[in-house]
Amino acid sequence: MLPVSEPWISDRELELVTDAVKRGWISPRGEYVDRFESLLAEFVGVDHALATTTGTAALHLSLVAADIGPGDEVIVPDMTWIACANVVRYVGATPIFADVTEDSFTLDPDSVRDNVTPDTAALMPVHLYGHPADMKPLLGIAQSHDLFILEDAAEAHGAIYDGDAVGSIGDAGCFSFYGNKILTMGQGGAITTDDDDLADRIRTYRRDGMSTEQKYYHPSVGYNYRLTNIQAAVGVGQLERSEEILDAKRRVADRYRENLTGTDLRVQAEHPKATSSNWMIATVFETREDRQRVRSALAERDIETRPFFHPLHDQPPYRADSTVCPTSKTLAERGLVLPSGPRLNRDEIDQVCKIVGQTN
Ligand SMILES: *Cc1c(COP(=O)(O)O)cnc(C)c1O
């Protein structure tokens, strides 16, 4: 069977995680969390990286630390993983869904402009399927309305926009290291930022709101969102191997593009300013029926695919006050993710493309 994604764990990760366990570093206490954070800060090019239990926890903590809460609105793309909206609800704020662009499937700056109100407090651009959102116009909007920018880089480790790594462009960036992400530790997350005060607040909130000066004194309500060293050890190995993994993802994406250029199938476009990290090969069919037919043909041969995310404006908890985002709705009906694992070989990719070509 060809899965949509699979983790690529080597002997190096095994060696590191064995060391962590042998030393008794199985909880958040131990050296691997620190090593993971320094490697990630270096990888992204920021002053601080703060490890968390999940990518969702990273997004939630960032909003808490940025003091976003009841009465605030946060603009989120309509096409993304549901956690982006849920974390806004966790802090008592309101998610507002803006549409995405036709070609890169990321937050459309025009739609963001249409949705800014006096209550808007933050923007959450998502680097969907590994492709950076168009940050320059978004930074402009944020500057003129004094908005916090939280980049969701959960799917985009190593992606670059105009010379800068994603996660280093907004006020803070969030990464996920869940099992299907580009770099993984099974379950885990991290926040990246250059803001010293924000980093301090995140550290406090991450540890149940405990004062850094006085043990067991808790000035605020915090969360237990600390990563363990077992996971961090795997993360250290993955970061050490990031170049190898990203190169492999690039090779897979290049082969798909070669094969699919000139067909009726559209692949997520890579902008001139952007370098995608190619998390997933995201394609769009001309009709919903085309997608369904190809999806079934691939499934018959044990080739896994996945549809795009269902639009957030149409998810039951968020339906009431939402307006329809037409581009995201169309993409959700016609979009399909093809097998994208870093270890797919040319023959496997050619085989997938052949079946797509024959059934589309
Ligand atoms: C995976 C993902 C998350 C959440 O990360 P978890 O580690 O699974 O909590 C958030 N946003 C996007 C876009 C994701 O793909």
Side-chain angles (χ1 to χ4, degrees):
M1 136 129 173
L2 275 193
V4 162
S5 64
E6 59 180 336
W8 186 8
I9 306 295
S10 74
D11 287 347
R12 177 62 179 156
E13 285 85 340
L14 187 60
E15 181 189 318
L16 293 167
V17 80
T18 305
D19 182 59
V21 172
K22 279 189 176 160
R23 289 171 190 259
W25 293 341
I26 56 170
S27 75
R29 270 180 91 147
E31 289 177 13
Y32 279 103
V33 173
D34 293 341
R35 275 173 72 179
F36 170 75
E37 290 182 337
S38 342
L39 279 175
L40 183 63
E42 195 184 319
F43 179 72
V44 177
V46 288
D47 292 341
H48 309 278
L50 301 129
T52 58
T53 46
T54 62
T56 305
L59 290 169
H60 180 201
L61 266 190
S62 303
L63 293 180
V64 171
D67 205 19
I68 288 162
D72 291 331
E73 293 177 353
V74 179
I75 297 181
V76 171
D78 192 46
M79 164 71 47
T80 181
W81 173 238
I82 190 84
C84 298
N86 289 346
V87 294
V88 177
R89 278 279 175 88
Y90 294 174
V91 299
T94 307
I96 302 292
F97 305 116
D99 212 346
V100 295
T101 60
E102 191 85 46
D103 54 349
S104 77
F105 322 149
T106 58
L107 200 52
D108 181 349
D110 289 332
S111 180
V112 171
R113 270 184 216 104
D114 291 345
N115 281 288
V116 170
T117 74
D119 290 332
T120 309
L123 304 181
M124 194 190 294
V126 177
H127 307 306
L128 200 76
Y129 299 134
H131 190 284
D134 195 4
M135 294 302 291
K136 196 168 174 211
L138 297 175
L139 289 166
I141 298 167
Q143 204 160 32
S144 42
H145 298 273
D146 194 22
L147 310 176
F148 185 81
I149 293 203
L150 178 56
E151 287 176 73
D152 181 340
E155 308 181 348
H157 319 62
I160 293 166
Y161 177 87
D162 212 5
D164 293 317
V166 301
S168 73
I169 304 165
D171 297 289
C174 289
F175 290 85
S176 167
F177 293 85
Y178 178 66
N180 69 1
K181 299 292 156 81
I182 300 177
L183 305 179
T184 183
M185 39 201 185
Q187 186 90 274
I191 303 162
T192 50
T193 184
D194 282 323
D195 183 333
D196 298 344
D197 293 335
L198 189 75
D200 277 345
R201 287 197 296 278
I202 290 168
R203 274 187 203 98
T204 303
Y205 283 117
R206 178 175 66 172
R207 189 149 192 222
D208 305 282
M210 189 159 80
S211 158
T212 43
E213 268 115 58
Q214 193 183 340
K215 210 163 165 95
Y216 304 126
Y217 184 67
H218 303 257
S220 57
V221 174
Y223 306 86
N224 180 5
Y225 278 170
R226 288 186 303 158
L227 185 74
T228 74
N229 280 279
I230 298 181
Q231 291 157 300
V234 178
V236 167
Q238 291 270 289
L239 279 167
E240 286 178 0
R241 295 178 51 235
S242 58
E243 207 178 303
E244 178 188 13
I245 296 171
L246 283 163
D247 282 352
K249 298 288 284 182
R250 157 84 35 200
R251 271 198 302 279
V252 167
D254 284 349
R255 186 61 185 172
Y256 269 112
R257 281 176 199 284
E258 258 171 68
N259 284 348
L260 297 174
T261 305
T263 69
D264 292 343
L265 195 60
R266 200 155 63 75
V267 185
Q268 183 178 31
E270 196 172 24
H271 272 189
K273 263 199 206 132
T275 307
S276 175
S277 56
N278 304 294
W279 180 49
M280 295 229 160
I281 308 301
T283 62
V284 183
F285 288 82
E286 287 189 339
T287 68
R288 180 207 292 254
E289 292 71 31
D290 291 343
R291 175 184 74 175
Q292 205 38 52
R293 199 172 50 250
V294 170
R295 192 162 192 233
S296 311
L298 290 169
E300 266 168 39
R301 288 154 178 97
D302 239 7
I303 297 168
E304 187 188 33
T305 57
R306 62 179 233 184
F308 281 17
F309 295 115
H310 189 80
L312 297 191
H313 77 257
D314 189 44
Q315 304 278 3
Y318 301 107
R319 245 177 232 165
D321 309 311
S322 295
T323 48
V324 172
C325 295
T327 306
S328 137
K329 186 166 184 282
T330 311
L331 289 171
E333 285 167 1
R334 303 181 193 167
L336 192 68
V337 169
L338 301 174
S340 312
R343 282 182 295 176
L344 283 179
N345 62 40
R346 264 172 104 94
D347 289 346
E348 289 168 328
I349 298 167
D350 293 351
Q351 173 72 9
V352 172
C353 294
K354 196 172 144 198
I355 298 164
V356 172
Q358 283 166 351
T359 38
N360 189 21

